Amino acid sequence: MSAKPSVGFVNEASRQILAGGSAGLVEICLMHPLDVVKTRFQIQRCTTDPNSYKSLGDSFRMIFRTEGLFGFYKGILPPILAETPKRAVKTFAVAGLGSGLTEAIVVNPFEVVKVGLQANRNRFTEQPSTMSYARHIIKKEGLGLGGLNKGFTATLGRHGVFNMVYFGFYFNVKNIIPVNKDPTLEFLRKFGIGLLSGTIASVINIPFDVAKSRIQGPQPVPGEIKYKTCFKTMATVYQEEGILALYKGLLPKIMRLGPGGAVMLLVYEYTYSWLQENW
């Protein structure tokens, strides 16, 4: 008799992981170009440099002109590889802040590799592969907080704050606004709540995101570590570049995680419903 709950639990967990993994994969493939642009904005310090990006449109034009179409997909493999373990963590961890913190532990090494690849302005075919770049980091800097896990505290803050705000807002508002019987209006209801949840969470957590990109990206002076810890990096950015520098990349981040969050939740819910009916 005890086997039935166990089988039911495994089936439920499998459905959630499959639905979450599918949702994450769709979101990554659609929104990754905005993630590349966001990272580039966050790691650039001086806008007077002729190679710096002046606006969102300018960044897209420069990347396409100098790096080609595939330049927008630099670093896409690490988040795809991290998606399944990340979804498993979300399934088994406590909702909100707890899931964000445990998720950060899983994804941080992938983020270090991703940011390094995204910061590379060479053409896609000229940059190292994901695995060779990961090996390079491990060989040169190790596995610790100065190597494959650098920026760990900033990643904890980014994911913890985002998940706490995102899921807290989404599920509370979702329960307030009644379900609509019309499929189109119900789709728009879910999309709108997901869009607003992702936008609010992005605005609140972006200083952690900027700190993470500075720590994990190339340092201003090669061989010297200027950005090392989360809050010290925030303080340095604020002192040298002003408060708005802590919000660099906000527009592409919102464009990615606002609609992206809505897409992810919709794909998750509809995939999960299909799996419930058919599996």
Side-chain angles (χ1 to χ4, degrees), residues 171-184:
F171 286 111
N172 278 290
V173 174
K174 184 182 173 186
N175 292 331
I176 294 171
I177 302 175
V179 175
N180 201 298
K181 293 181 180 179
D182 185 294
T184 303

Side-chain angles (χ1 to χ4, degrees), residues 218-231:
Q219 299 290 318
V221 179
E224 294 183 15
I225 300 177
K226 181 173 185 175
Y227 305 117
K228 190 172 182 180
T229 61
C230 177
F231 291 105

Side-chain angles (χ1 to χ4, degrees), residues 20-204:
S22 300
L25 182 62
V26 170
E27 190 269 341
I28 289 168
C29 292
L30 289 176
M31 301 296 176
H32 192 75
L34 287 165
D35 191 58
V36 172
V37 171
K38 179 211 72 169
T39 301
R40 295 284 179 88
F41 271 114
Q42 290 178 342
I43 61 177
Q44 75 175 17
R45 300 175 66 248
C46 180
T47 55
T48 57
D49 187 323
N51 292 318
S52 67
Y53 305 122
K54 307 298 187 296
S55 65
L56 187 63
D58 181 53
S59 65
F60 274 95
R61 285 191 296 271
M62 284 184 67
I63 292 172
F64 181 73
R65 186 173 66 246
T66 60
E67 302 169 53
L69 181 62
F70 288 112
F72 294 109
Y73 291 91
K74 286 181 174 179
I76 194 172
L77 186 57
I80 288 176
L81 292 175
E83 196 57 37
T84 298
K86 187 170 78 173
R87 293 301 155 187
V89 164
K90 282 188 180 291
T91 298
F92 296 110
V94 178
L97 178 63
S99 68
L101 296 178
T102 49
E103 176 186 318
I105 296 171
V106 174
V107 304
N108 192 65
F110 295 94
E111 284 289 314
V112 172
V113 176
K114 184 199 74 159
V115 170
L117 292 172
Q118 289 178 336
N120 187 322
R121 292 201 180 192
N122 293 330
R123 295 191 70 85
F124 189 85
T125 53
E126 296 171 353
Q127 75 167 26
S129 69
T130 298
M131 297 309 296
S132 65
Y133 185 66
R135 287 194 296 268
H136 167 75
I137 294 173
I138 294 169
K139 183 178 179 180
K140 185 179 177 182
E141 302 170 337
L143 294 166
L145 297 178
L148 200 60
N149 271 293
K150 59 187 170 186
F152 178 63
T153 306
T155 302
L156 283 176
R158 185 183 80 153
H159 285 260
V161 171
F162 185 89
N163 280 15
M164 180 175 63
V165 176
Y166 182 73
F167 289 108
F169 185 88
Y170 178 79
F171 286 111
N172 278 290
V173 174
K174 184 182 173 186
N175 292 331
I176 294 171
I177 302 175
V179 175
N180 201 298
K181 293 181 180 179
D182 185 294
T184 303
L185 293 177
E186 175 61 12
F187 175 88
L188 291 174
R189 181 185 78 96
K190 290 179 178 177
F191 186 89
I193 297 171
L195 175 64
L196 190 57
S197 302
T199 300
I200 292 172
S202 296
V203 171
I204 293 174

